[in-house]
């Protein structure tokens, strides 16, 4: 793996850990700063809202920045947010720290995926992009448990200090070798008045359709995953220790799914999306119907992680190829926002059903309904015919960059 790709994956690992680790240290924060768990839970919601609302705006504002400036600069903002959280004298400053770290979330992940795809050989772009999103999967398997353990042993502030230190190390590693700049925009791509240096920001219908598929597919999985622990203990009858193992298996399945899904997306992103969404739908439906079969639940839970993370590389590819005159980085930012909205939708749906007396298996059934809707919409996404050509055309302007990078050097104009 090239050093810049590894460094970007490590940065993404830090970002993914920061997003989710807060759930493991909520009780300690609430006790220390003297607020209720409900109030501390706002740290998760505030982070998500900042990612969804501010991410696209910040990507648009920084669209002219060179990657060699944008990536370290945004990582510096992310590190600052974690330092502010670690030093927060009260709950308000903790919220500020979370918002500051969230500002960099969408722009960085989108820039990392776009850069990795530009560096990759022409037939491996999805696989190399998947190496970046693999950092998210690793954060759920390694980062969140490690951050929670650090918080338990040394206090919740130590978790944020550890995140800031690892993020700084990843940033320094990223700066050791230049990441290739975005490919130049050709007159055909620009489609604006002469002299304009970048594509105009538009939201083509196919891109919005892919975003809707992401939102529904993610919402379906997270309707159950948000309440995975009570489902596994109350509905399936597993003990707490076994639940921890199953959650790790879900993450491990996600790592495998992300890797395999990246390779499949290079062959046909359209088929990869349909297969993985179909697998997610089937898994959720069986989890709704077979909660009493522990063996089946254990296998299905692991496969659900593989199916969900396997969908991500193919959806990233479809996002880029349907971007039109919207820059790939902006398109991937919208992609990331759609994932965040889907997580919020799934969490809300699961909570709504449980609050109205529905059973935990019924939450899995409702999730299957959402992923089935995503699957139906995915059949209307571009790429059914001649997938490789569809994928190649919007990325044709990356050819020069790809050739230069894979040849060992790159010149900038």
């Amino acid at each position: 793996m090239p050093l810049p790709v590894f460094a970007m994956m490590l940065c993404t690992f830090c970002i993914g850990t920061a997003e989710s680790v807060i759930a493991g240290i909520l009780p300690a924060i609430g006790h220390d700063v003297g607020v209720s768990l409900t109030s501390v839970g706002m740290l998760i919601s505030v982070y998500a809202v900042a990612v969804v609302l501010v991410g696209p705006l910040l990507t648009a504002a920084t669209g002219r920045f060179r990657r060699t400036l944008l990536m370290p600069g945004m990582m510096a903002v992310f590190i600052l947010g974690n330092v502010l959280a670690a030093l927060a004298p009260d709950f308000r400053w903790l919220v500020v720290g979370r918002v500051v770290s969230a500002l960099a979330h969408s722009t960085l992940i989108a820039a990392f995926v776009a850069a990795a795809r530009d560096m990759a050989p022409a037939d491996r772009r999805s696989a190399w992009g998947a190496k970046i999103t693999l950092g998210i999967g690793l954060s759920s398997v390694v980062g969140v448990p490690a951050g929670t353990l650090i918080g338990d042993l040394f206090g919740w502030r130590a978790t944020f200090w550890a995140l800031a230190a690892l993020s700084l190390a990843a940033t320094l590693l990223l700066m050791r070798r230049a990441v290739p700049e975005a490919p130049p925009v050709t007159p055909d791509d620009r489609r604006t008045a002469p002299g304009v240096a970048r594509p105009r920001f538009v939201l083509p219908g196919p891109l919005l359709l892919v975003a809707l598929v992401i939102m529904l597919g993610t919402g379906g999985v997270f309707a159950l995953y948000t309440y995975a622990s009570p489902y596994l203990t109350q509905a399936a009858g597993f003990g707490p220790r076994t639940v921890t193992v199953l959650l790790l298996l879900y993450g491990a399945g996600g790592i495998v799914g992300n890797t395999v899904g990246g390779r499949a997306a290079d062959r046909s992103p359209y088929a990869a999306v349909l297969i993985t969404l179909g697998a997610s739908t089937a898994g959720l439906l069986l989890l709704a119907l077979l909660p009493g079969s522990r063996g089946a639940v254990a296998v299905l839970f692991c496969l659900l992680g593989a199916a969900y993370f396997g969908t991500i590389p193919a959806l990233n590819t479809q996002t880029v190829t349907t971007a039109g005159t919207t820059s790939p980085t902006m398109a991937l930012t919208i992609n990331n926002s759609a994932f965040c909205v889907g997580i919020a939708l799934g969490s809300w749906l699961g909570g709504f059903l449980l609050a109205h007396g529905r059973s935990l298996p019924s939450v899995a059934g409702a999730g299957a309904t959402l992923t089935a809707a995503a699957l139906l919409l995915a059949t209307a996404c571009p790429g059914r015919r001649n997938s490789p050509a569809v994928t190649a055309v919007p990325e044709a302007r990356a050819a020069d960059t790809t050739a230069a990078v894979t040849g060992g050097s790159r010149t900038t104009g």
Side-chain angles (χ1 to χ4, degrees), residues 106-165:
S106 286
T107 301
L108 271 175
I109 293 180
F112 289 154
V113 172
R117 291 173 63 88
D118 288 345
M119 294 175 65
D123 60 343
R124 297 292 306 281
R125 289 186 180 126
S126 295
W128 281 43
K131 294 179 186 296
I132 305 301
T133 56
L134 179 61
I136 301 293
L138 289 172
S139 72
S140 65
V141 177
V142 179
V144 173
T148 302
L149 179 62
I150 290 172
D152 290 340
L153 294 177
F154 305 106
W156 62 269
R157 295 179 189 275
T159 299
F160 289 110
W161 282 121
L163 272 170

Tab-separated table of all heavy atoms in Angstrom, residues 106-165:
chain	number	residue	atom	x	y	z
A	106	SER	N	-16.582	15.472	6.757
A	106	SER	CA	-17.011	15.161	5.381
A	106	SER	C	-15.977	15.567	4.350
A	106	SER	O	-15.673	14.807	3.416
A	106	SER	CB	-18.337	15.860	5.079
A	106	SER	OG	-19.407	15.233	5.736
A	107	THR	N	-15.414	16.759	4.495
A	107	THR	CA	-14.457	17.246	3.511
A	107	THR	C	-13.224	16.355	3.454
A	107	THR	O	-12.715	16.029	2.370
A	107	THR	CB	-14.049	18.689	3.843
A	107	THR	OG1	-15.222	19.517	3.844
A	107	THR	CG2	-13.059	19.233	2.822
A	108	LEU	N	-12.727	15.939	4.614
A	108	LEU	CA	-11.530	15.115	4.644
A	108	LEU	C	-11.769	13.738	4.033
A	108	LEU	O	-10.988	13.278	3.192
A	108	LEU	CB	-11.039	14.961	6.085
A	108	LEU	CG	-10.073	16.032	6.577
A	108	LEU	CD1	-9.760	15.825	8.057
A	108	LEU	CD2	-8.790	16.037	5.762
A	109	ILE	N	-12.828	13.061	4.466
A	109	ILE	CA	-13.076	11.719	3.945
A	109	ILE	C	-13.296	11.771	2.439
A	109	ILE	O	-12.773	10.931	1.685
A	109	ILE	CB	-14.273	11.072	4.662
A	109	ILE	CG1	-13.925	10.798	6.129
A	109	ILE	CG2	-14.680	9.773	3.960
A	109	ILE	CD1	-15.036	10.174	6.926
A	110	ALA	N	-14.044	12.761	1.961
A	110	ALA	CA	-14.268	12.893	0.518
A	110	ALA	C	-12.960	13.151	-0.215
A	110	ALA	O	-12.688	12.557	-1.267
A	110	ALA	CB	-15.258	14.024	0.252
A	111	ALA	N	-12.129	14.043	0.330
A	111	ALA	CA	-10.848	14.344	-0.309
A	111	ALA	C	-9.931	13.128	-0.312
A	111	ALA	O	-9.224	12.863	-1.297
A	111	ALA	CB	-10.164	15.512	0.397
A	112	PHE	N	-9.936	12.366	0.773
A	112	PHE	CA	-9.098	11.167	0.847
A	112	PHE	C	-9.527	10.127	-0.191
A	112	PHE	O	-8.691	9.549	-0.892
A	112	PHE	CB	-9.181	10.551	2.242
A	112	PHE	CG	-8.498	11.349	3.320
A	112	PHE	CD1	-8.907	11.243	4.646
A	112	PHE	CD2	-7.454	12.207	3.025
A	112	PHE	CE1	-8.281	11.969	5.645
A	112	PHE	CE2	-6.817	12.948	4.020
A	112	PHE	CZ	-7.239	12.822	5.328
A	113	VAL	N	-10.827	9.865	-0.274
A	113	VAL	CA	-11.315	8.869	-1.230
A	113	VAL	C	-11.018	9.313	-2.661
A	113	VAL	O	-10.558	8.519	-3.495
A	113	VAL	CB	-12.824	8.622	-1.039
A	113	VAL	CG1	-13.376	7.730	-2.151
A	113	VAL	CG2	-13.098	7.985	0.322
A	114	ALA	N	-11.273	10.594	-2.957
A	114	ALA	CA	-11.011	11.109	-4.302
A	114	ALA	C	-9.527	11.006	-4.650
A	114	ALA	O	-9.158	10.619	-5.763
A	114	ALA	CB	-11.483	12.555	-4.411
A	115	ALA	N	-8.649	11.332	-3.688
A	115	ALA	CA	-7.215	11.273	-3.942
A	115	ALA	C	-6.754	9.832	-4.160
A	115	ALA	O	-5.939	9.554	-5.055
A	115	ALA	CB	-6.445	11.893	-2.771
A	116	ALA	N	-7.264	8.911	-3.359
A	116	ALA	CA	-6.887	7.506	-3.514
A	116	ALA	C	-7.323	6.977	-4.875
A	116	ALA	O	-6.592	6.230	-5.536
A	116	ALA	CB	-7.491	6.673	-2.392
A	117	ARG	N	-8.519	7.362	-5.316
A	117	ARG	CA	-9.006	6.930	-6.627
A	117	ARG	C	-8.141	7.514	-7.739
A	117	ARG	O	-7.870	6.852	-8.739
A	117	ARG	CB	-10.470	7.342	-6.802
A	117	ARG	CG	-11.441	6.584	-5.913
A	117	ARG	CD	-12.857	7.176	-6.027
A	117	ARG	NE	-13.367	7.031	-7.365
A	117	ARG	CZ	-14.035	5.967	-7.819
A	117	ARG	NH1	-14.251	4.944	-7.019
A	117	ARG	NH2	-14.474	5.915	-9.050
A	118	ASP	N	-7.688	8.761	-7.583
A	118	ASP	CA	-6.839	9.375	-8.594
A	118	ASP	C	-5.470	8.697	-8.669
A	118	ASP	O	-4.851	8.650	-9.736
A	118	ASP	CB	-6.642	10.868	-8.294
A	118	ASP	CG	-7.901	11.680	-8.563
A	118	ASP	OD1	-8.805	11.151	-9.236
A	118	ASP	OD2	-7.981	12.831	-8.086
A	119	MET	N	-4.988	8.187	-7.540
A	119	MET	CA	-3.678	7.542	-7.503
A	119	MET	C	-3.707	6.121	-8.058
A	119	MET	O	-2.674	5.579	-8.425
A	119	MET	CB	-3.161	7.493	-6.060
A	119	MET	CG	-2.859	8.847	-5.452
A	119	MET	SD	-2.391	8.692	-3.717
A	119	MET	CE	-0.873	7.770	-3.866
A	120	ALA	N	-4.882	5.524	-8.095
A	120	ALA	CA	-4.999	4.098	-8.416
A	120	ALA	C	-4.855	3.826	-9.912
A	120	ALA	O	-5.131	4.693	-10.745
A	120	ALA	CB	-6.351	3.580	-7.932
A	121	PRO	N	-4.431	2.604	-10.267
A	121	PRO	CA	-4.528	2.180	-11.667
A	121	PRO	C	-5.978	2.254	-12.130
A	121	PRO	O	-6.906	2.188	-11.304
A	121	PRO	CB	-4.026	0.726	-11.622
A	121	PRO	CG	-3.205	0.637	-10.383
A	121	PRO	CD	-3.833	1.579	-9.397
A	122	ALA	N	-6.183	2.380	-13.409
A	122	ALA	CA	-7.524	2.625	-13.934
A	122	ALA	C	-8.536	1.564	-13.539
A	122	ALA	O	-9.717	1.858	-13.364
A	122	ALA	CB	-7.465	2.733	-15.468
A	123	ASP	N	-8.068	0.309	-13.371
A	123	ASP	CA	-9.002	-0.765	-13.048
A	123	ASP	C	-9.072	-1.069	-11.559
A	123	ASP	O	-9.658	-2.071	-11.158
A	123	ASP	CB	-8.618	-2.043	-13.805
A	123	ASP	CG	-7.219	-2.527	-13.447
A	123	ASP	OD1	-6.438	-1.726	-12.879
A	123	ASP	OD2	-6.902	-3.701	-13.727
A	124	ARG	N	-8.474	-0.203	-10.709
A	124	ARG	CA	-8.476	-0.456	-9.270
A	124	ARG	C	-8.965	0.736	-8.474
A	124	ARG	O	-8.718	0.820	-7.272
A	124	ARG	CB	-7.055	-0.807	-8.806
A	124	ARG	CG	-6.475	-2.074	-9.403
A	124	ARG	CD	-7.192	-3.320	-8.923
A	124	ARG	NE	-7.253	-3.405	-7.480
A	124	ARG	CZ	-6.237	-3.800	-6.706
A	124	ARG	NH1	-5.084	-4.151	-7.255
A	124	ARG	NH2	-6.375	-3.871	-5.401
A	125	ARG	N	-9.660	1.671	-9.103
A	125	ARG	CA	-10.040	2.900	-8.399
A	125	ARG	C	-10.981	2.636	-7.233
A	125	ARG	O	-10.847	3.216	-6.156
A	125	ARG	CB	-10.671	3.889	-9.382
A	125	ARG	CG	-9.652	4.477	-10.351
A	125	ARG	CD	-10.254	5.562	-11.226
A	125	ARG	NE	-9.242	6.090	-12.125
A	125	ARG	CZ	-9.363	6.160	-13.439
A	125	ARG	NH1	-10.454	5.708	-14.009
A	125	ARG	NH2	-8.396	6.652	-14.169
A	126	SER	N	-11.965	1.782	-7.425
A	126	SER	CA	-12.894	1.482	-6.334
A	126	SER	C	-12.184	0.774	-5.194
A	126	SER	O	-12.439	1.051	-4.017
A	126	SER	CB	-14.049	0.612	-6.847
A	126	SER	OG	-14.824	1.318	-7.791
A	127	ALA	N	-11.282	-0.156	-5.536
A	127	ALA	CA	-10.553	-0.900	-4.508
A	127	ALA	C	-9.670	0.030	-3.691
A	127	ALA	O	-9.578	-0.102	-2.466
A	127	ALA	CB	-9.720	-2.005	-5.143
A	128	TRP	N	-9.015	0.991	-4.349
A	128	TRP	CA	-8.161	1.923	-3.608
A	128	TRP	C	-9.001	2.890	-2.785
A	128	TRP	O	-8.611	3.260	-1.679
A	128	TRP	CB	-7.247	2.678	-4.570
A	128	TRP	CG	-6.064	1.879	-5.011
A	128	TRP	CD1	-6.061	0.558	-5.379
A	128	TRP	CD2	-4.714	2.331	-5.143
A	128	TRP	NE1	-4.803	0.168	-5.734
A	128	TRP	CE2	-3.948	1.223	-5.603
A	128	TRP	CE3	-4.089	3.547	-4.940
A	128	TRP	CZ2	-2.582	1.324	-5.842
A	128	TRP	CZ3	-2.725	3.642	-5.184
A	128	TRP	CH2	-1.985	2.546	-5.627
A	129	GLY	N	-10.140	3.307	-3.316
A	129	GLY	CA	-11.040	4.126	-2.506
A	129	GLY	C	-11.531	3.371	-1.294
A	129	GLY	O	-11.705	3.940	-0.203
A	130	ALA	N	-11.739	2.060	-1.454
A	130	ALA	CA	-12.193	1.233	-0.335
A	130	ALA	C	-11.136	1.120	0.746
A	130	ALA	O	-11.469	0.903	1.921
A	130	ALA	CB	-12.571	-0.161	-0.835
A	131	LYS	N	-9.852	1.271	0.390
A	131	LYS	CA	-8.806	1.256	1.415
A	131	LYS	C	-8.993	2.421	2.386
A	131	LYS	O	-8.677	2.294	3.584
A	131	LYS	CB	-7.423	1.339	0.751
A	131	LYS	CG	-7.047	0.126	-0.085
A	131	LYS	CD	-5.681	0.309	-0.718
A	131	LYS	CE	-5.336	-0.823	-1.668
A	131	LYS	NZ	-5.208	-2.116	-1.013
A	132	ILE	N	-9.488	3.539	1.880
A	132	ILE	CA	-9.723	4.687	2.755
A	132	ILE	C	-10.912	4.415	3.684
A	132	ILE	O	-10.824	4.614	4.901
A	132	ILE	CB	-9.970	5.962	1.923
A	132	ILE	CG1	-8.813	6.203	0.954
A	132	ILE	CG2	-10.175	7.160	2.839
A	132	ILE	CD1	-7.478	6.349	1.604
A	133	THR	N	-12.019	3.957	3.120
A	133	THR	CA	-13.192	3.700	3.961
A	133	THR	C	-12.974	2.498	4.875
A	133	THR	O	-13.715	2.322	5.841
A	133	THR	CB	-14.442	3.461	3.090
A	133	THR	OG1	-14.194	2.386	2.157
A	133	THR	CG2	-14.792	4.723	2.301
A	134	LEU	N	-11.940	1.689	4.585
A	134	LEU	CA	-11.587	0.613	5.506
A	134	LEU	C	-11.230	1.177	6.873
A	134	LEU	O	-11.429	0.519	7.899
A	134	LEU	CB	-10.415	-0.193	4.931
A	134	LEU	CG	-9.883	-1.356	5.778
A	134	LEU	CD1	-10.966	-2.397	5.994
A	134	LEU	CD2	-8.660	-1.979	5.114
A	135	GLY	N	-10.714	2.403	6.891
A	135	GLY	CA	-10.405	3.043	8.170
A	135	GLY	C	-11.623	3.171	9.063
A	135	GLY	O	-11.526	3.060	10.291
A	136	ILE	N	-12.798	3.402	8.453
A	136	ILE	CA	-14.034	3.485	9.226
A	136	ILE	C	-14.362	2.128	9.854
A	136	ILE	O	-14.726	2.030	11.033
A	136	ILE	CB	-15.202	3.955	8.344
A	136	ILE	CG1	-14.905	5.336	7.742
A	136	ILE	CG2	-16.497	3.995	9.143
A	136	ILE	CD1	-14.833	6.448	8.744
A	137	GLY	N	-14.220	1.066	9.051
A	137	GLY	CA	-14.479	-0.269	9.577
A	137	GLY	C	-13.528	-0.632	10.702
A	137	GLY	O	-13.932	-1.191	11.735
A	138	LEU	N	-12.244	-0.301	10.529
A	138	LEU	CA	-11.272	-0.587	11.572
A	138	LEU	C	-11.547	0.221	12.837
A	138	LEU	O	-11.285	-0.251	13.947
A	138	LEU	CB	-9.863	-0.285	11.062
A	138	LEU	CG	-9.302	-1.240	10.007
A	138	LEU	CD1	-7.985	-0.715	9.440
A	138	LEU	CD2	-9.100	-2.627	10.607
A	139	SER	N	-12.090	1.414	12.667
A	139	SER	CA	-12.389	2.228	13.856
A	139	SER	C	-13.456	1.571	14.718
A	139	SER	O	-13.408	1.665	15.956
A	139	SER	CB	-12.828	3.634	13.433
A	139	SER	OG	-14.128	3.630	12.860
A	140	SER	N	-14.414	0.899	14.088
A	140	SER	CA	-15.465	0.242	14.864
A	140	SER	C	-14.961	-1.024	15.540
A	140	SER	O	-15.430	-1.390	16.619
A	140	SER	CB	-16.669	-0.089	13.969
A	140	SER	OG	-16.312	-1.039	12.978
A	141	VAL	N	-13.971	-1.681	14.919
A	141	VAL	CA	-13.438	-2.927	15.478
A	141	VAL	C	-12.351	-2.654	16.519
A	141	VAL	O	-12.299	-3.303	17.568
A	141	VAL	CB	-12.874	-3.827	14.360
A	141	VAL	CG1	-12.257	-5.096	14.931
A	141	VAL	CG2	-13.972	-4.191	13.373
A	142	VAL	N	-11.482	-1.689	16.226
A	142	VAL	CA	-10.326	-1.432	17.088
A	142	VAL	C	-10.426	-0.092	17.809
A	142	VAL	O	-10.218	0.002	19.017
A	142	VAL	CB	-9.022	-1.478	16.255
A	142	VAL	CG1	-7.809	-1.189	17.134
A	142	VAL	CG2	-8.870	-2.823	15.561
A	143	GLY	N	-10.740	0.960	17.056
A	143	GLY	CA	-10.691	2.310	17.610
A	143	GLY	C	-11.652	2.560	18.748
A	143	GLY	O	-11.263	3.070	19.815
A	144	VAL	N	-12.915	2.224	18.537
A	144	VAL	CA	-13.927	2.492	19.571
A	144	VAL	C	-13.666	1.675	20.836
A	144	VAL	O	-13.677	2.236	21.945
A	144	VAL	CB	-15.343	2.246	19.018
A	144	VAL	CG1	-16.373	2.352	20.132
A	144	VAL	CG2	-15.656	3.249	17.909
A	145	PRO	N	-13.411	0.347	20.741
A	145	PRO	CA	-13.094	-0.391	21.974
A	145	PRO	C	-11.837	0.140	22.674
A	145	PRO	O	-11.803	0.246	23.903
A	145	PRO	CB	-12.891	-1.831	21.485
A	145	PRO	CG	-13.661	-1.911	20.214
A	145	PRO	CD	-13.520	-0.557	19.584
A	146	ALA	N	-10.798	0.495	21.893
A	146	ALA	CA	-9.570	1.009	22.493
A	146	ALA	C	-9.802	2.362	23.148
A	146	ALA	O	-9.319	2.621	24.267
A	146	ALA	CB	-8.472	1.122	21.428
A	147	GLY	N	-10.562	3.232	22.461
A	147	GLY	CA	-10.865	4.539	23.047
A	147	GLY	C	-11.691	4.425	24.308
A	147	GLY	O	-11.482	5.165	25.280
A	148	THR	N	-12.633	3.490	24.319
A	148	THR	CA	-13.446	3.264	25.519
A	148	THR	C	-12.585	2.736	26.658
A	148	THR	O	-12.730	3.159	27.818
A	148	THR	CB	-14.577	2.268	25.208
A	148	THR	OG1	-15.383	2.785	24.141
A	148	THR	CG2	-15.455	2.039	26.434
A	149	LEU	N	-11.670	1.815	26.352
A	149	LEU	CA	-10.778	1.269	27.378
A	149	LEU	C	-9.877	2.356	27.962
A	149	LEU	O	-9.677	2.421	29.187
A	149	LEU	CB	-9.930	0.153	26.774
A	149	LEU	CG	-8.919	-0.518	27.722
A	149	LEU	CD1	-9.651	-1.182	28.882
A	149	LEU	CD2	-8.067	-1.527	26.963
A	150	ILE	N	-9.340	3.220	27.101
A	150	ILE	CA	-8.506	4.326	27.577
A	150	ILE	C	-9.316	5.229	28.502
A	150	ILE	O	-8.831	5.667	29.561
A	150	ILE	CB	-7.947	5.129	26.392
A	150	ILE	CG1	-6.912	4.297	25.636
A	150	ILE	CG2	-7.319	6.443	26.857
A	150	ILE	CD1	-6.442	4.929	24.342
A	151	GLY	N	-10.559	5.495	28.124
A	151	GLY	CA	-11.416	6.324	28.969
A	151	GLY	C	-11.699	5.677	30.311
A	151	GLY	O	-11.732	6.355	31.352
A	152	ASP	N	-11.903	4.367	30.316
A	152	ASP	CA	-12.170	3.661	31.573
A	152	ASP	C	-10.949	3.672	32.492
A	152	ASP	O	-11.082	3.777	33.719
A	152	ASP	CB	-12.582	2.209	31.280
A	152	ASP	CG	-13.953	2.108	30.631
A	152	ASP	OD1	-14.728	3.081	30.745
A	152	ASP	OD2	-14.244	1.078	29.991
A	153	LEU	N	-9.752	3.549	31.904
A	153	LEU	CA	-8.537	3.454	32.710
A	153	LEU	C	-7.998	4.810	33.157
A	153	LEU	O	-7.522	4.953	34.297
A	153	LEU	CB	-7.446	2.715	31.914
A	153	LEU	CG	-7.705	1.235	31.604
A	153	LEU	CD1	-6.579	0.672	30.745
A	153	LEU	CD2	-7.844	0.433	32.891
A	154	PHE	N	-8.071	5.795	32.273
A	154	PHE	CA	-7.404	7.071	32.545
A	154	PHE	C	-8.338	8.280	32.533
A	154	PHE	O	-7.882	9.410	32.686
A	154	PHE	CB	-6.289	7.296	31.517
A	154	PHE	CG	-5.306	6.174	31.444
A	154	PHE	CD1	-5.312	5.295	30.369
A	154	PHE	CD2	-4.372	5.972	32.462
A	154	PHE	CE1	-4.410	4.247	30.290
A	154	PHE	CE2	-3.466	4.923	32.390
A	154	PHE	CZ	-3.478	4.056	31.310
A	155	GLY	N	-9.624	8.059	32.312
A	155	GLY	CA	-10.568	9.165	32.258
A	155	GLY	C	-10.918	9.531	30.831
A	155	GLY	O	-10.116	9.319	29.911
A	156	TRP	N	-12.112	10.078	30.642
A	156	TRP	CA	-12.596	10.342	29.294
A	156	TRP	C	-11.750	11.373	28.561
A	156	TRP	O	-11.654	11.331	27.330
A	156	TRP	CB	-14.054	10.784	29.327
A	156	TRP	CG	-14.308	12.062	30.076
A	156	TRP	CD1	-14.625	12.202	31.395
A	156	TRP	CD2	-14.279	13.392	29.538
A	156	TRP	NE1	-14.793	13.529	31.726
A	156	TRP	CE2	-14.591	14.287	30.597
A	156	TRP	CE3	-14.027	13.920	28.274
A	156	TRP	CZ2	-14.650	15.663	30.431
A	156	TRP	CZ3	-14.094	15.300	28.096
A	156	TRP	CH2	-14.403	16.152	29.164
A	157	ARG	N	-11.106	12.285	29.284
A	157	ARG	CA	-10.260	13.274	28.608
A	157	ARG	C	-9.071	12.602	27.921
A	157	ARG	O	-8.600	13.061	26.868
A	157	ARG	CB	-9.769	14.320	29.616
A	157	ARG	CG	-10.889	15.169	30.207
A	157	ARG	CD	-10.355	16.178	31.214
A	157	ARG	NE	-11.443	16.837	31.919
A	157	ARG	CZ	-12.089	17.903	31.480
A	157	ARG	NH1	-11.734	18.444	30.325
A	157	ARG	NH2	-13.062	18.442	32.180
A	158	ALA	N	-8.585	11.516	28.502
A	158	ALA	CA	-7.453	10.802	27.906
A	158	ALA	C	-7.819	10.239	26.542
A	158	ALA	O	-6.955	10.113	25.660
A	158	ALA	CB	-6.995	9.681	28.841
A	159	THR	N	-9.091	9.893	26.350
A	159	THR	CA	-9.531	9.395	25.046
A	159	THR	C	-9.332	10.459	23.972
A	159	THR	O	-8.824	10.174	22.869
A	159	THR	CB	-11.007	8.978	25.101
A	159	THR	OG1	-11.171	7.933	26.061
A	159	THR	CG2	-11.499	8.486	23.748
A	160	PHE	N	-9.712	11.690	24.283
A	160	PHE	CA	-9.548	12.775	23.310
A	160	PHE	C	-8.080	13.122	23.113
A	160	PHE	O	-7.652	13.448	21.989
A	160	PHE	CB	-10.336	14.000	23.753
A	160	PHE	CG	-11.826	13.833	23.638
A	160	PHE	CD1	-12.619	13.732	24.771
A	160	PHE	CD2	-12.440	13.760	22.397
A	160	PHE	CE1	-13.997	13.570	24.669
A	160	PHE	CE2	-13.813	13.601	22.288
A	160	PHE	CZ	-14.587	13.504	23.424
A	161	TRP	N	-7.270	13.061	24.180
A	161	TRP	CA	-5.841	13.302	24.019
A	161	TRP	C	-5.208	12.241	23.121
A	161	TRP	O	-4.362	12.538	22.265
A	161	TRP	CB	-5.143	13.313	25.378
A	161	TRP	CG	-5.301	14.581	26.167
A	161	TRP	CD1	-5.854	14.724	27.413
A	161	TRP	CD2	-4.892	15.894	25.768
A	161	TRP	NE1	-5.822	16.041	27.816
A	161	TRP	CE2	-5.233	16.780	26.825
A	161	TRP	CE3	-4.274	16.415	24.629
A	161	TRP	CZ2	-4.969	18.143	26.773
A	161	TRP	CZ3	-4.019	17.784	24.573
A	161	TRP	CH2	-4.361	18.622	25.629
A	162	ALA	N	-5.603	10.989	23.323
A	162	ALA	CA	-5.067	9.905	22.502
A	162	ALA	C	-5.460	10.099	21.034
A	162	ALA	O	-4.644	9.876	20.121
A	162	ALA	CB	-5.571	8.562	23.017
A	163	LEU	N	-6.703	10.514	20.793
A	163	LEU	CA	-7.146	10.777	19.427
A	163	LEU	C	-6.350	11.910	18.795
A	163	LEU	O	-5.937	11.826	17.627
A	163	LEU	CB	-8.637	11.129	19.419
A	163	LEU	CG	-9.621	9.976	19.311
A	163	LEU	CD1	-11.036	10.466	19.552
A	163	LEU	CD2	-9.518	9.315	17.943
A	164	ALA	N	-6.112	12.975	19.568
A	164	ALA	CA	-5.346	14.103	19.045
A	164	ALA	C	-3.920	13.683	18.715
A	164	ALA	O	-3.368	14.064	17.669
A	164	ALA	CB	-5.340	15.243	20.066
A	165	ALA	N	-3.296	12.875	19.588
A	165	ALA	CA	-1.919	12.439	19.357
A	165	ALA	C	-1.814	11.535	18.127
A	165	ALA	O	-0.918	11.706	17.283
A	165	ALA	CB	-1.390	11.718	20.600
